Amino acid sequence: MSHQRYAGTVLGIDIGGTGVKGAPVDLESGELTADRVRIDTPKPATPEAVGGVVQQIADKFANEIGNAPIGIAIPAVAQKGVARSAANIDPAWVDVDVDALFTERLDRPVHVVNDADAAGVAEGRYGAAKGVDGVVILTTLGTGIGSAFLLDGKLMPNTELGHLELDGRDAERHAAQSAKEREHLSYAEWAERLQRYYSYVEGLFWPDLFVVGGGISKKADAFLPLLDLRTPIVAAKLRNSAGIVGAAYLAVEFGS
Ligand code: BGC
């Protein structure tokens, strides 16, 4: 199964805390071939309930996607298609074989990956980390902090750097975009927390490049210049579609 064979026809879906977003992806260019569809994440967001939403999105694009596999990004550890954690989603996901559940429901191969891993692969293939050798760490700043490690463009999955313990607490509770919102922090105040976080991460892993993704990366100019790091740090290029694009890409890669 080659990426070329499905160029323009692979559906990527990104499951988030508030919305489930999907679109067909052209794997040659990494671009969406149709406007994204967004449906509110059901409450409670159990695998079955979310499966219904995923099905609605797949039905919408039935003509574009043919019989290609579908890639799905979830905000949790995904080990060979099995969800293993639930920091920001319903605990019912833990230990569910999501690949098997959704493959049966959608009647076609479905491949589930961690959302930050999907974004990292998309940025490595088509975006801010394209052609970058060495160690790239992408972090997504949103409800939580997700991370993806690339070495010469190849992913090491499920790194979970949002859960590093920093100053006695889970780093994402203090430094994610949700902490900025929850505590009404200015960009300058939030940047102090990001400074502490990224300094810690770079001291442990010595990356060659940081890429910052997540919705807030649109506003990167408001906080990235405030950081003083030895590692270059840039905003993600694919912005909000990185999860969709990477999920689609990995669906074909895993399916081969
Ligand atoms: C989860 C990660 C996820 C990140 C971003 C964290 O709380 O543990 O798996 O990638 O949030 O959604």
Side-chain angles (χ1 to χ4, degrees), residues 114-123 135-140 145-151 154-162 207 209-211:
N114 172 262
D115 55 3
D117 284 343
V121 165
E123 290 295 331
V135 176
V136 175
I137 299 182
L138 170 128
T139 54
T140 58
I145 295 181
S147 61
F149 272 49
L150 301 177
L151 174 60
K154 199 157 167 51
L155 175 73
M156 183 176 103
N158 293 315
T159 47
E160 293 291 317
L161 293 196
L209 177 69
F210 279 126
V211 179

Side-chain angles (χ1 to χ4, degrees), residues 7 36 49 103 126 171-172 174 177 192 203 205 208 213 223 236 246:
R36 307 191 299 181
T103 294
Y126 311 103
E172 71 174 22
H174 193 57
Q177 190 212 340
E192 282 175 27
F205 300 106
D208 298 293
F223 60 96

